[in-house]
Amino acid sequence: MACASAVLAPVHLWDVADDLWYAPAPAVDALAAQFRNAAVRRHSLRPAEVGVRRLGHFGAFRRTPGPMLWRRLMAPIEAASPALRSAGLAPLG
């Protein structure tokens, strides 16, 4: 990922504990290392933290766990970019 070193904006990267195929934590760590000039913030999520037994890689795109998960995913991004809320781009719920 040659372009990642050109990114200067804050970067938020997530891993999901039961995502063993697409983006397990070591793979996300390796991706984070590519953003050498950005402030990278790593986040981890366990399915039980949002009230489900399983999330996997695509669980965030399902109706369940819904708003609870999206609020958690968006919180650090909104905190880093308060203009999102004032622009009306905050998640519903």
Side-chain angles (χ1 to χ4, degrees):
M1 184 174 252
C3 297
S5 62
V7 174
L8 302 176
V11 175
H12 291 264
L13 299 175
W14 288 83
D15 70 80
V16 178
D18 67 341
D19 178 4
L20 304 176
W21 296 102
Y22 295 104
V28 178
D29 291 337
L31 175 63
Q34 300 302 307
F35 292 94
R36 290 185 285 272
N37 296 311
V40 175
R41 182 145 178 231
R42 284 281 285 108
H43 308 277
S44 294
L45 178 67
R46 296 188 191 303
E49 294 171 343
V50 291
V52 296
R53 192 168 48 92
R54 175 149 171 69
L55 274 173
H57 188 75
F58 298 105
F61 303 103
R62 295 188 185 107
R63 287 181 191 250
T64 304
M68 180 188 290
L69 175 61
W70 280 103
R71 279 192 290 275
R72 181 169 175 146
L73 294 176
M74 290 301 298
I77 297 168
E78 289 175 344
S81 305
L84 286 176
R85 280 213 184 270
S86 64
L89 300 175
L92 299 176

